[in-house]
Amino acid sequence: MSKLPIIFDDHLDHSKIELQYFVDTRIGKNTCKAKCEFCWLDKPHLNHFKQTPEEAEVIIKGLEHNGFKVVPIVSDSFAENGKYLRSNIFKDNDDWYMGNAAWSSGRPLLQDNYEELLDLCIDNNVKTIIMTSHGTEDKSKDFKGLTQPSVVKKATARIKEFSAKRQWKFKVILTFTISRANMTEQHLQSYFAHCEALEADVIRLNRFADKQGIYEHLRLTKEDTIACYQLMKKVYDQYEGNVQLSVSEDFGNWGVEVMGFPAEVGNCVAGEYLFGVVYPDVYVCPVNLTLKVGKIQPDHTIQWNQEVIDQLMAAKTHPDFGGCIGVAYPHSQEIRDYFQDLKLTTVEQK
């Protein structure tokens, strides 16, 4: 059997502006039941936000009517025992480049009602479940609040058992975050072996972003990123199993040409064709929900802040940019300085 192609994050269609619309950004006991130290949602102006599905649906439909492509997102798809999955907002949500997917820490699927939650996925025509695995074995935690791999293992086993029972094929994606601590051939090989043993379908690799600004020793430099692309390609080329590789666009464009992706992949379109929304605010990036670039109006149009857009485009010419504003912003003081004089761009500046 021929090797499956490497999956890339496809933002190549610029015919519509994509809004990743966060309906519930809370973390903790009511949603993901975790509080990972470097979670991008763990910010004072985000971590208490939620809308009812009914409220969100009205706004989403209004934005779509005005020509936007809208992808509804919650911090955990199984939040509040499936409240959001019981609504209409995730039904046939195939506009996302990863298809109609459920995202989870895995913890909600350890509850006694996990079959009910997975049945709700079927009701919504969800075909993919994505979870983050922090390594392959439980150990003392490098970061506070991380979900141990044993949780993800058990959740994956339950998904597989349920799939066989209901004859509904879920694609299981396990995500691993790559930093200078695990950017080795041995680590990547162990992650593929781990996914193979669990019968996961896809291993997704994303780049560590130092949101708190306190882990500089873990950040990938330009040279590291180039080497990391080469390493991912080498390990996957040599891998003989059935697990497919997916590479997040947050690795950026330094050295991306070795992957053989279409020419534009790795060049951030955040702030141009891709935005994050935490109502009513529109942010330049759905991961770095810091820089406000617009506000949704009562008629579901967006009032844009051209000054922020201009600053963003200037920042993208900086040598530290590297193709992803979600990583460059927390890692580069000079890039943050591009925005320091703007008012109302962060909660701290209000």
Side-chain angles (χ1 to χ4, degrees):
M1 184 177 69
S2 59
K3 186 181 293 292
L4 293 169
I6 300 173
I7 301 168
F8 58 87
D9 293 359
D10 189 351
H11 297 294
L12 300 177
D13 181 3
H14 299 163
S15 61
K16 281 190 176 183
I17 289 177
E18 177 180 331
L19 305 175
Q20 294 193 6
Y21 188 100
F22 288 84
V23 183
D24 188 344
T25 61
R26 297 171 302 154
I27 58 177
K29 63 180 181 179
N30 290 321
T31 56
C32 60
K33 304 184 184 298
K35 194 173 183 181
C36 300
E37 183 180 349
F38 54 80
C39 178
W40 83 98
L41 294 176
D42 192 11
K43 297 175 181 176
H45 65 295
L46 297 178
N47 57 20
H48 297 294
F49 177 82
K50 68 170 181 175
Q51 288 182 308
T52 67
E54 294 76 19
E55 290 171 329
E57 187 175 6
V58 169
I59 299 163
I60 288 170
K61 286 184 176 178
L63 290 166
E64 290 175 336
H65 177 76
N66 285 324
F68 296 103
K69 172 183 173 182
V70 186
V71 179
I73 296 177
V74 292
S75 56
D76 196 295
S77 299
F78 304 108
E80 298 198 33
N81 280 317
K83 178 175 77 173
Y84 296 112
L85 287 170
R86 289 185 176 88
S87 71
N88 292 318
I89 58 175
F90 294 116
K91 180 73 173 177
D92 296 319
N93 180 29
D94 291 316
D95 277 345
W96 195 22
Y97 60 89
M98 298 187 78
N100 196 10
W103 180 276
S104 181
S105 69
R107 289 178 181 268
L109 293 176
L110 301 195
Q111 299 173 166
D112 291 341
N113 68 337
Y114 74 95
E115 288 194 348
E116 177 187 349
L117 295 175
L118 292 172
D119 272 327
L120 288 171
C121 287
I122 295 177
D123 292 344
N124 284 275
N125 200 28
V126 170
K127 303 180 181 71
T128 301
I129 299 178
I130 308 169
M131 297 176 287
T132 297
S133 186
H134 300 285
T136 60
E137 300 293 339
D138 290 3
K139 62 177 182 177
S140 58
K141 297 178 181 180
D142 300 318
F143 302 95
K144 298 175 184 177
L146 295 188
T147 298
Q148 293 280 24
S150 59
V151 171
V152 178
K153 287 181 184 178
K154 188 172 181 179
T156 302
R158 287 187 164 189
I159 294 167
K160 290 294 180 179
E161 291 169 5
F162 176 89
S163 292
K165 182 177 179 180
R166 293 287 196 274
Q167 295 186 344
W168 180 270
K169 169 60 177 171
F170 282 115
K171 177 188 288 185
V172 175
I173 299 178
L174 298 188
T175 296
F176 294 80
T177 299
I178 304 301
S179 70
R180 298 191 81 184
N182 61 347
M183 197 194 84
T184 71
E185 188 169 343
Q186 291 73 24
H187 276 100
L188 292 188
Q189 288 172 340
S190 72
Y191 298 158
F192 273 97
H194 180 70
C195 291
E196 190 83 37
L198 296 180
E199 297 183 346
D201 300 278
V202 177
I203 175 173
R204 178 168 169 82
L205 303 178
N206 67 277
R207 179 181 175 184
F208 173 73
D210 184 14
K211 304 297 184 186
Q212 300 93 333
I214 57 176
Y215 294 107
E216 188 171 358
H217 64 289
L218 295 178
R219 302 175 190 173
L220 298 182
T221 64
K222 179 177 182 178
E223 292 72 25
D224 291 332
T225 308
I226 293 170
C228 198
Y229 270 127
Q230 294 171 342
L231 185 62
M232 290 187 288
K233 183 70 164 57
K234 175 185 176 183
V235 170
Y236 190 54
D237 283 348
Q238 294 176 348
Y239 171 67
E240 296 181 352
N242 298 313
V243 179
Q244 189 174 12
L245 173 62
S246 172
V247 176
S248 170
E249 199 166 31
D250 59 16
F251 282 98
N253 56 25
W254 289 328
V256 69
E257 58 275 1
V258 72
M259 305 302 288
F261 297 150
E264 293 181 44
V265 175
N267 295 309
C268 175
V269 295
E272 300 173 67
Y273 305 104
L274 172 66
F275 299 86
V277 174
V278 180
Y279 186 80
D281 297 312
V282 181
Y283 295 85
V284 300
C285 173
V287 175
N288 184 23
L289 295 165
T290 302
L291 298 168
K292 292 182 185 177
V293 72
K295 193 166 188 175
I296 297 173
Q297 302 301 297
D299 62 354
H300 304 125
T301 59
I302 296 176
Q303 181 180 352
W304 299 101
N305 186 330
Q306 189 60 45
E307 189 176 4
V308 178
I309 294 173
D310 293 343
Q311 294 287 67
L312 174 67
M313 299 312 294
K316 286 187 175 185
T317 67
H318 191 280
D320 288 347
F321 172 56
C324 177
I325 194 66
V327 173
Y329 185 88
H331 288 195
S332 171
Q333 182 61 50
E334 286 193 31
I335 286 180
R336 289 197 297 278
D337 287 346
Y338 274 95
F339 304 95
Q340 66 180 354
D341 295 329
L342 296 174
K343 295 180 181 179
L344 301 179
T345 55
T346 66
V347 167
E348 292 78 8
Q349 292 172 322
K350 282 186 177 179

